[in-house]
Amino acid sequence: MRPPLISVEEVTKSFTKKGAIGGKDERFKVLGGVTFEVKPGSFTSVIGPSGCGKTTLFRIIDGLIRPDSGRVVFNGDPVTAPPSKMGFVFQQFGLLPWRTVLKNVEFGLELRGVDSSERESIARKYIEVVGLGGFENHYVHEISAGMQQRVGLARALTIDPDVLLMDEPFASVDEQTRQILQKQLLQIVKGTVQKTTLFVTHSVDEAIALSDEIVLLGNRPARVKETISVNLPPERWTYDIRADPEYGRLWRRIWKFLEDEVMEAGGFGPAPSQPTALRVAPEATSHPPMPGRASSGADPGAPVQ
């Protein structure tokens, strides 16, 4: 059995909230000991209630911030700084508006000192992979939001990462574009280039549509409550998974988990102790005449003869 590509081991993280002038600072815990593994070749999604620390967890996994305790192991080595073989795709596209599509895709290679002819060749390859051939010389403002996100994906792929980390990359696009991008992403990471992927989302639908495994995080301070295997065929871009009974079963299970977590945290407020009486507006005693018509004294609510 192959060892996990990423191992998250009892990771905790707290932050300090500054108090008012003269007041005390407040320490609050975001992650309460998160543990899970990402298998080589898998697509793993992380989902949980809003504000439970998913993005903080990702920043720890990719080495941008340090945990208070616990550790992340990638390719057998503890993560203490951003690893060179992790590719990042974030919700904000992070594209440079003064650069063309080609030059944006080249950017990561440029920072690594790859010579111009080699990086152009690599960039053009991945522009084709994400379906943007013919748009190499367009600027960011000349392409759609969905195309911009594909530019970000192409840029991440140019470094040939061992794993793609994607933090809600489709959150800012419309639903139609989102579902198209989901299928295109699966075709790429499960077919064309085959990359292990770790994905954060707020969408139950998206988690099921994309994932081999779904990690469920609880309320803050977050811990892993459950890891769910998604028993749907891997080539999901070839058919409508939402018509599959397994999709419906998983959706209800995950949604019930999220709903229970929100209710446990009091997210909808306390339930009323007494049923609230329905308030009915008092019946009007008179009605003004319609403009341009004299009042006839008849009931304005009566049907027209």
Side-chain angles (χ1 to χ4, degrees), residues 81-138:
S84 62
K85 296 296 281 183
M86 278 187 183
F88 313 117
V89 182
F90 300 113
Q91 182 177 342
Q92 293 76 27
F93 306 137
L95 304 180
L96 304 176
W98 60 89
R99 284 182 169 235
T100 63
V101 167
L102 177 62
K103 292 302 181 183
N104 267 288
V105 175
E106 287 183 20
F107 187 60
L109 297 172
E110 186 179 331
L111 293 178
R112 293 173 181 234
V114 178
D115 71 71
S116 59
S117 60
E118 183 180 357
R119 67 175 183 252
E120 179 178 341
S121 174
I122 295 171
R124 287 186 181 278
K125 170 187 173 181
Y126 286 106
I127 287 171
E128 290 290 338
V129 166
V130 300
L132 290 178
F135 290 91
E136 292 86 349
N137 296 320
H138 284 62

Side-chain angles (χ1 to χ4, degrees), residues 6 18 31 62 107 114 132 151 178 218 270 273:
I6 297 175
K18 290 292 184 181
L31 303 176
D62 64 26
F107 187 60
V114 178
L132 290 178
V151 173
R178 186 173 187 148
S273 56

Side-chain angles (χ1 to χ4, degrees), residues 88-95 101 104-105 126 130-132 140 143-157 164-174 177-178 180-182 184-185 188 199-200 206:
F88 313 117
V89 182
F90 300 113
Q91 182 177 342
Q92 293 76 27
F93 306 137
L95 304 180
V101 167
N104 267 288
V105 175
Y126 286 106
V130 300
L132 290 178
V140 174
I143 59 177
S144 69
M147 295 168 78
Q148 290 178 35
Q149 193 57 279
R150 282 187 277 163
V151 173
L153 176 58
R155 183 176 57 192
L157 290 171
L164 279 174
L165 267 60
M166 308 185 76
D167 187 4
E168 295 195 78
F170 306 145
S172 60
V173 300
D174 62 85
T177 302
R178 186 173 187 148
I180 292 171
L181 288 172
Q182 288 168 5
Q184 291 174 333
L185 175 62
I188 291 167
F199 194 97
V200 159
E206 187 165 68

